Amino acid sequence: METVLVVDDDLTVRDVVRRYLERAGHRVLVAGDGEEALRLIDSGRPDLVVLDIMLPGVDGVEVCRRTRRWSSVPIVMLTALGEESDRVLGLQLGADDYVTKPFSPRELALRVESVLRRTRGAAPVAAGDLVDGDLRVDTAARVATRGGERLALTLREFDLLAFLMANPGAAFSRADLLDRVWGWSFGDRSTVTVHVRRLREKIEDDPARPVRIATVWGVGYRYDPRS
């Protein structure tokens, strides 16, 4: 049974989300502010965090930032409808997914289940090693290394890298990647842009002049092996 931490300062939201997730078979922890959330992430070791951005005291953005210093636990952010800057910032800090408020509790439960399925080992490509020079991705163990050093990748970053490396030379639009990697038939395409930017920071010698993940103008992105 996986443990999900729900962080929201609205008692009604916490209670409704908790009941939906418990019905789906999850153990649920709840927190009403950022400090309590950080304590529970550390002590409760949840398998996933549902994190509202607007929290009293330490807000959700700061909770995400601090958590990513030491943990790769999947994070689903809750953001206000229309606040694109909040969504992009959350993704830049390492959030794996987001849901906009107001939201359907059933939709959130399904999104949580989708992310958890990934953590159980379902990869977007067949299990095995993907190697490009000093970059190695073990899709079975879900470990990526560069020059022998393990890369700190979020769940979605790993899946995106594995998918692109498994399809070298093929150009994919952001809509294609949302469908093939995220499993979304619709969604904010800036999600892909942010994840590509974060990946480039981790696998490119010069992220401003990427040679592995190339931008195909008017289309999207392509993986160009260096070896």
Side-chain angles (χ1 to χ4, degrees):
M1 178 185 294
E2 289 123 333
T3 299
V4 178
L5 171 61
V6 177
V7 186
D8 198 298
D9 63 333
D10 188 317
L11 177 60
T12 301
V13 170
R14 292 201 306 271
D15 187 55
V16 170
V17 172
R18 176 184 57 77
R19 285 189 282 110
Y20 266 82
L21 292 175
E22 286 178 343
R23 275 188 221 145
H26 304 299
R27 174 174 174 258
V28 180
L29 304 174
V30 295
D33 59 63
E35 291 289 356
E36 185 180 10
L38 289 166
R39 287 195 298 272
L40 287 174
I41 292 170
D42 183 39
S43 63
R45 301 287 171 168
D47 298 290
L48 183 143
V49 180
V50 175
L51 178 63
D52 187 26
I53 283 186
M54 299 300 293
L55 295 172
V58 179
D59 64 17
V61 169
E62 183 61 21
V63 170
C64 185
R65 179 183 288 112
R66 294 189 195 179
T67 299
R68 280 292 173 257
R69 292 174 185 166
W70 59 273
S71 174
S72 59
V73 60
I75 296 175
V76 176
M77 301 286 279
L78 300 180
T79 70
L81 183 63
E83 293 298 327
E84 181 179 359
S85 60
D86 286 343
R87 295 198 297 274
V88 171
L89 179 57
L91 292 169
Q92 288 174 332
L93 292 173
D96 296 275
D97 208 341
Y98 69 87
V99 174
T100 56
K101 288 184 172 183
F103 60 86
S104 156
R106 182 173 179 275
E107 176 197 355
L108 176 59
L110 290 173
R111 193 66 66 85
V112 165
E113 182 58 31
S114 172
V115 174
L116 285 171
R117 272 200 306 272
R118 298 278 187 180
T119 66
R120 296 181 193 123
V125 295
D129 282 352
L130 300 167
V131 182
D132 176 25
D134 64 346
L135 184 62
R136 179 181 294 269
V137 172
D138 183 339
T139 60
R142 295 187 66 82
V143 172
T145 59
R146 185 182 179 207
E149 296 292 325
R150 184 164 180 165
L151 297 174
L153 301 180
T154 66
L155 179 73
R156 298 295 192 187
E157 288 168 1
F158 181 92
D159 286 348
L160 178 59
L161 177 59
F163 179 81
L164 290 172
M165 288 184 68
N167 296 277
F172 296 95
S173 69
R174 291 186 295 172
D176 290 334
L177 293 171
L178 276 178
D179 178 44
R180 303 284 291 276
V181 178
W182 275 257
W184 299 357
S185 57
F186 60 90
D188 186 350
R189 297 179 185 180
S190 66
T191 299
V192 176
T193 305
V194 172
H195 279 75
V196 167
R197 184 185 310 139
R198 285 178 56 85
L199 269 182
R200 283 171 169 166
E201 291 171 355
K202 297 174 182 181
I203 70 170
E204 301 281 5
D205 292 330
D206 183 356
R209 296 177 176 82
V211 296
R212 279 183 161 132
I213 302 180
T215 297
V216 182
W217 297 109
V219 180
Y221 302 102
R222 180 186 68 236
Y223 189 87
D224 292 333
R226 295 184 63 183
S227 58

